[in-house]
Amino acid sequence: MTQFPPPSDRRPAGLATTPFPLPPNATIGLVGGGQLGRMSALAAARLGYRCHILTREPGSPATQVAAGVTISDYSDPASLRAFAAAVDVISFEFENVSAEGLDLLASLKPVRPSPDVLRISQDRVAEKQFLNAAGVATAPWAAVDSLDALYDAARRIGLPAVLKTTRYGYDGKGQARLHAEADLAPAFAALAPKPLIFEGFVDFACEISAVVARGADGATSCFDPMENRHRDGILDLTLAPARVPEATAAAAREIAIRIADALNLIGVLAVEMFVDRTGRLLANEIAPRPHNSGHWTIDACPASQFELHIRAVAGLPLLPATRHADAVMRNLVGPDGLALWPAVVAAPGLIPHLYGKADARPGRKMGHVTRLFPRGSLPGEFGIAAALGPAAPAPDAQDPGERG
Ligand code: AMP
């Protein structure tokens, strides 16, 4: 483990109990060093807070804009203790910390959102059980721990379907599409022995997400839902607001708030949902942190998802999740995305964001670009392509305008 600033150089440890709202210059500990931590730390700095990052990777995006850093594995108890000693409150941009690690952190400093929330979102089966118990509809699903259980699920729920690992999957990783019975055994062989979940395939009209912030006092602020388009399993484009009827948007906000309340969340939560062909909403995934589909809020809103997250964690008043503009956000992914950078920074009207990653590996999110439009004038697909200019989606990308 290495830590900066070293404990001897640190200002005196705070009070034994963290005071909320956090006073200016308090230190927020963030577990995870990626772009979500970076943008959270930038929002925290504007509010007069310091961030201290716990990450495995020296030089990772969040460390470049943080006041302190602990470089260590996420499971080493001595490092977790040193990290906790350096901060006043702890939050996450990376959720896959072990249960023991979470308990240790929570025994030392306030953890927001609570470890219970992370445990639910870490495991797709726990997540689906929780959502259904909260009255939120999902795709039909079954836990799968054997090939027999997989055949049984396929018989009961039907094909096509998606087989996913219950943990550690992101950006479409750890998933197999099942079209016919012949796909079952190879998919099981590829993903087992990890615990798996079988999900009926949703023939969705579009994918949307809603980002809600909730404070310790139970107050909530929910952004209008946005429409998301993926490419190779990775978010490519977000349109804000989603082009869905107001009743659908209202239902999506209601679902996000219901989930945040049921979790007793303190922080920000994103809910990914499918809109099926009948207009029904089915929750796919929850993420108890700022979310890629909410990056546009930095440029289009008086208080972004990152600011609302920091406000909730710090115990500051939540502001309304209003936007002064509509927006399109495109991710810059891998070497191809990075190659667009010189043109993106030269294009008037594009708002560039780069995450400071040294290595542009395929599939890696290197940055994003946002374009704002007056409220109510989000263009159609061809308008989006024209407006994004150099960052327009490649012609073979799926057309969100043709999705229903
Ligand atoms: P996830 O990792 O669960 O967010 O899945 C990544 C992407 O795969 C989603 O955004 C969808 O585009 C697609 N997907 C996942 N699960 C399903 C499902 N049950 N039905 C249809 N598409 C799905």
Side-chain angles (χ1 to χ4, degrees), residues 215-229:
D217 60 355
T220 55
S221 287
C222 187
F223 292 100
D224 281 338
M226 38 273 182
E227 184 175 335
N228 301 318
R229 183 169 60 167

Side-chain angles (χ1 to χ4, degrees), residues 124 139 162 164 172 175 177 199-202 204 207 230 272 274 284-285:
R124 291 186 192 271
V162 189
K164 303 178 181 177
Q175 298 192 12
R177 295 282 165 97
E199 290 179 22
F201 190 82
V202 180
F204 54 81
E207 291 185 82
H230 296 82
E272 297 178 27
F274 302 120
N284 175 36
E285 246 186 347

Side-chain angles (χ1 to χ4, degrees), residues 44-386:
R46 273 190 30 226
L47 293 170
Y49 296 125
R50 297 148 197 237
C51 279
H52 185 112
I53 308 297
L54 173 65
T55 173
R56 278 192 284 246
E57 279 180 60
S60 53
T63 65
Q64 298 167 22
V65 299
V69 57
T70 302
I71 306 289
S72 165
D73 193 78
Y74 298 114
S75 58
D76 173 41
S79 304
L80 294 177
R81 283 181 191 283
F83 168 66
V87 307
D88 297 300
V89 62
I90 295 170
S91 192
F92 299 85
E93 68 114 49
F94 170 87
E95 296 141 72
N96 289 319
V97 180
S98 68
E100 305 77 54
L102 286 172
D103 287 338
L104 176 57
L105 290 176
S107 73
L108 299 166
K109 287 287 156 70
V111 171
R112 296 180 156 191
S114 80
D116 292 344
V117 174
L118 271 81
R119 283 193 195 105
I120 291 169
S121 69
Q122 280 174 350
D123 183 303
R124 291 186 192 271
V125 168
E127 184 179 67
K128 291 275 195 301
Q129 280 168 339
F130 170 82
L131 289 170
N132 294 161
V136 176
T138 61
W141 61 273
V144 165
D145 57 4
S146 67
L147 190 54
D148 278 350
L150 177 56
Y151 278 105
D152 186 49
R155 253 190 314 273
R156 283 189 297 117
I157 296 171
L159 296 174
V162 189
L163 189 64
K164 303 178 181 177
T165 54
T166 58
R167 299 174 77 89
Y168 305 125
Y170 66 97
D171 286 347
K173 293 188 177 68
Q175 298 192 12
R177 295 282 165 97
L178 309 171
H179 300 283
E181 208 178 297
D183 297 335
L184 301 189
F188 186 79
L191 297 175
K194 295 187 180 127
L196 303 175
I197 184 169
F198 178 102
E199 290 179 22
F201 190 82
V202 180
D203 179 25
F204 54 81
C206 68
E207 291 185 82
I208 66 172
S209 54
V211 170
V212 61
R214 186 173 182 279
D217 60 355
T220 55
S221 287
C222 187
F223 292 100
D224 281 338
M226 38 273 182
E227 184 175 335
N228 301 318
R229 183 169 60 167
H230 296 82
R231 196 174 163 78
D232 301 328
I234 302 172
L235 183 66
D236 179 35
L237 201 67
T238 291
L239 312 181
R243 297 172 299 177
V244 293
E246 176 46 35
T248 308
R253 285 192 299 269
E254 195 270 323
I255 286 172
I257 292 169
R258 183 167 356 146
I259 294 171
D261 282 340
L263 289 169
N264 204 11
L265 179 87
I266 305 176
V268 151
L269 170 89
V271 185
E272 297 178 27
M273 291 169 254
F274 302 120
V275 185
D276 79 5
R277 301 274 167 195
T278 67
R280 200 163 74 109
L281 291 173
L282 300 169
N284 175 36
E285 246 186 347
I286 60 174
R289 51 166 172 74
H291 190 257
N292 193 168
S293 65
H295 289 359
W296 60 275
T297 60
I298 299 174
D299 301 307
C301 302
S304 72
Q305 62 165 350
F306 300 100
E307 177 167 339
L308 292 187
H309 184 67
I310 295 296
R311 281 175 173 265
V313 168
L316 295 180
L318 287 185
L319 297 181
T322 49
R323 66 174 195 288
H324 47 67
D326 291 353
V328 176
M329 186 282 315
R330 181 156 196 234
N331 274 334
L332 301 174
V333 178
D336 295 349
L338 193 61
L340 297 173
W341 186 248
V344 161
V345 283
L350 294 190
I351 306 173
H353 298 255
L354 203 59
Y355 305 148
K357 297 182 186 178
D359 187 9
R361 292 192 293 273
R364 205 166 188 218
K365 292 170 182 167
M366 303 303 294
H368 72 268
V369 49
T370 307
R371 175 135 204 164
L372 303 181
F373 300 88
R375 277 184 67 114
S377 58
L378 204 57
E381 173 67 8
F382 292 111
I384 288 167

